[in-house]
Amino acid sequence: MIRALMIDVDGVVIRGRPKDGRPWSSRLADDLGLDAEELQREFFRPHWDAVVTGKSTLHDRLAPVLARIASGLSCEDLIAYWFENDARIDRRLLQEIDALRAQGLRACLATNQEHARAAYLMDRLGLAKHFDGIYYSADLGHQKPDAAFFQKVEKAVGIPGECLLLIDDSSANIDAARRMGWKASCWTGEDRLAELVAI
């Protein structure tokens, strides 16, 4: 019997830019003068693993990169642009989560995030009103699909894996959760949560 939902953020609760659902960096060059591929190459590929697992902060890794590739752009301005443009919330999904929580089911976020965006999601975007908590990689020190991520979440939530249902859009994460004994379902955006819980 499912006792708690573990919901991924990006690709599930959050789906791109608020106005059109496209990736947050789609107009990065036009809006801020920074090439998205260069940002991937110089920041995300070499530094993101350390940031998203809490070994370093977003600001500490991003600031020196920007000083080198976009000296006129502050770290704070880029982060604000990123967070604001990666914030299209699936309101129908939240309504379903609210309904299931009203019936006594717990719902938490289980996501790969660094500290600043995790706080932004819960506080600024208001997801704290719809979830019983958030378990995220920078806080746990491990990211999906690492087995340690699921072990730490399971221990923290205090519910055995066979009673947890992961909703995620990554097949690698789904497979990893199932190997840990969790229930898991790959999110397409077309499903109904109540039906997935009943499976």
Side-chain angles (χ1 to χ4, degrees):
M1 178 181 178
I2 301 302
R3 293 169 54 191
L5 296 172
M6 295 290 144
I7 312 286
D8 184 39
V9 172
D10 296 299
V12 180
V13 178
I14 301 291
R15 304 183 72 141
R17 298 194 307 184
K19 64 181 178 180
D20 57 15
R22 296 184 66 200
W24 72 269
S25 58
S26 296
R27 287 188 52 84
L28 186 59
D30 293 330
D31 293 340
L32 297 182
L34 177 59
D35 180 73
E37 177 52 38
E38 185 175 22
L39 184 64
Q40 283 288 331
R41 184 177 65 250
E42 300 296 328
F43 172 68
F44 282 103
R45 289 175 195 150
H47 298 288
W48 187 242
D49 280 352
V51 173
V52 82
T53 54
K55 297 178 179 67
S56 186
T57 69
L58 176 59
H59 187 279
D60 285 350
R61 292 296 182 105
L62 181 58
V65 172
L66 288 182
R68 187 175 73 252
I69 68 173
S71 59
L73 178 61
S74 75
C75 189
E76 292 74 18
D77 285 346
L78 178 58
I79 292 171
Y81 178 90
W82 169 10
F83 291 3
E84 290 165 9
N85 282 281
D86 204 6
R88 187 183 198 189
I89 297 174
D90 186 334
R91 297 291 175 186
R92 179 187 67 81
L93 177 58
L94 289 189
Q95 289 175 352
E96 293 187 59
I97 290 168
D98 291 344
L100 289 170
R101 289 180 71 214
Q103 297 171 22
L105 193 67
R106 291 174 65 183
C108 299
L109 295 172
T111 177
N112 291 340
Q113 302 291 335
E114 54 77 44
H115 297 295
R117 187 159 183 257
Y120 183 90
L121 292 167
M122 296 300 274
D123 302 332
R124 291 285 298 278
L125 291 187
L127 295 185
K129 293 181 284 189
H130 302 278
F131 292 92
D132 297 294
I134 181 172
Y135 300 99
Y136 67 99
S137 57
D139 188 50
L140 298 171
H142 300 275
Q143 62 181 315
K144 295 179 288 184
D146 291 351
F149 178 95
F150 299 96
Q151 292 169 338
K152 289 198 169 190
V153 171
E154 186 175 330
K155 182 177 180 181
V157 77
I159 296 174
E162 63 266 23
C163 298
L164 299 175
L165 174 61
L166 176 69
I167 304 295
D168 203 298
D169 65 324
S170 163
S171 59
N173 295 340
I174 295 296
D175 291 343
R178 289 173 177 164
R179 286 195 296 271
M180 297 304 297
W182 292 29
K183 307 295 185 186
S185 182
C186 195
W187 185 250
T188 66
E190 303 299 323
D191 304 291
R192 290 293 183 268
L193 276 184
E195 295 175 0
L196 297 178
V197 170
I199 293 175

